[in-house]
Amino acid sequence: MAGCRPSRRIIVDTCLGNDKEDRRIPTWNKLQTSFLADLAAAGYPRETIDTVVCTHLHVDHVGWNTMLVDGRWVPTFPNARYLMGRVEYAHWTSQLERDDMTAVLADSVTPVWEAGRVDFVETDHRICDEISLVPTVGHTPGHVSVRIASRGEEALITGDFMHHPCQIARPEWSSTADSDPLLARRTRERMLTGLAGTRTLVIGTHFAGRTTGHVVRDGDAFRLAV
């Protein structure tokens, strides 16, 4: 497995996207944000991205997979391979219980697949020597987190196996968006036990305020420390 070359540019999850409709949360409809301009201003024009990692396929994680051009949804990152979980994709494209996912698949997932930009991967896929996926199922059937390890340092991008630091202290608290709350709890307990006391920097995808820290034991529970 080759190491990630210094010029490689990887995006993990793409948030809500512009111009999307039929979202369950009204304020997420027809957004007009400066996301792409901000990305370019930071030195990362969309054409330079070569990999998009989808931790799962919920609406707020795949929106910028595509953009509206002349009335058609096209891949936002035209030179990127989009990594989607094989289990995750199979689940959402076969289920009939979540009507809200129909629009998400239609405008943010299927167009990328039809453009030939998708690579289906397993939940333990290794992207390169430094970056690999970690199975953290429960929030969705194929949910993954992203581990980064380089030069003796390590970090973990959580995705949604936990949404708020309060779940570090109370892993039994589940989000209403969890597909399998019991499995999601077991995943949190397993991950927190493994992370506690290590040097792994935890990067909370949905954390507000302090978004990074280290998991430490706090009596019989855990907490996030700087």
Side-chain angles (χ1 to χ4, degrees):
M1 178 66 65
C4 285
R5 62 187 185 275
S7 61
R8 188 164 185 176
R9 294 186 167 188
I10 301 172
I11 282 184
V12 178
D13 291 343
T14 62
C15 200
L16 288 165
N18 280 0
D19 300 304
K20 303 298 167 81
E21 298 185 83
D22 300 319
R23 296 323 192 220
R24 184 163 56 178
I25 297 177
T27 54
W28 290 359
N29 283 296
K30 298 187 77 67
L31 292 176
Q32 294 297 316
T33 71
S34 59
F35 174 80
L36 291 182
D38 294 343
L39 196 64
Y44 304 97
R46 64 187 183 89
E47 295 84 2
T48 68
I49 303 300
D50 53 50
T51 307
V52 176
V53 177
C54 301
T55 63
H56 60 300
L57 299 182
H58 276 172
V59 57
D60 53 331
H61 293 259
V62 298
W64 271 112
N65 282 2
T66 61
M67 58 189 294
L68 193 62
V69 178
D70 297 328
R72 295 178 56 251
W73 296 109
V74 300
T76 301
F77 306 100
N79 299 313
R81 303 302 301 176
Y82 287 68
L83 306 187
M84 297 183 186
R86 191 183 311 279
V87 171
E88 184 78 0
Y89 182 85
H91 171 75
W92 292 116
T93 54
S94 63
Q95 64 83 38
L96 302 175
E97 299 175 357
R98 289 280 301 271
D99 292 340
D100 60 303
M101 285 295 295
T102 300
V104 176
L105 293 173
D107 60 34
S108 299
V109 177
T110 300
V112 184
W113 179 81
E114 290 179 341
R117 305 307 303 174
V118 172
D119 291 332
F120 294 120
V121 299
E122 308 306 326
T123 55
D124 60 352
H125 177 71
R126 182 176 290 275
I127 299 171
C128 59
D129 286 343
E130 297 86 357
I131 302 175
S132 57
L133 304 184
V134 179
T136 47
V137 298
H139 179 63
T140 64
H143 186 279
V144 297
S145 301
V146 181
R147 175 172 284 124
I148 306 166
S150 178
R151 299 181 181 180
E153 302 291 337
E154 187 166 326
L156 182 79
I157 301 174
T158 62
D160 283 6
F161 82 81
M162 53 185 176
H163 288 78
H164 191 281
C166 68
Q167 291 176 292
I168 297 175
R170 300 297 297 268
E172 71 274 17
W173 289 357
S174 287
S175 163
T176 57
D178 287 347
S179 293
D180 186 332
L182 179 58
L183 183 55
R185 172 182 178 173
R186 289 173 177 168
T187 289
R188 280 189 293 277
E189 291 172 342
R190 171 177 59 83
M191 292 299 293
L192 291 169
T193 298
L195 289 166
T198 72
R199 296 179 60 189
T200 301
L201 181 67
V202 175
I203 304 171
T205 299
H206 278 286
F207 289 7
R210 181 191 299 170
T211 58
T212 64
H214 298 86
V215 175
V216 298
R217 287 197 172 272
D218 188 8
D220 293 333
F222 306 95
R223 62 182 174 86
L224 189 67
V226 176

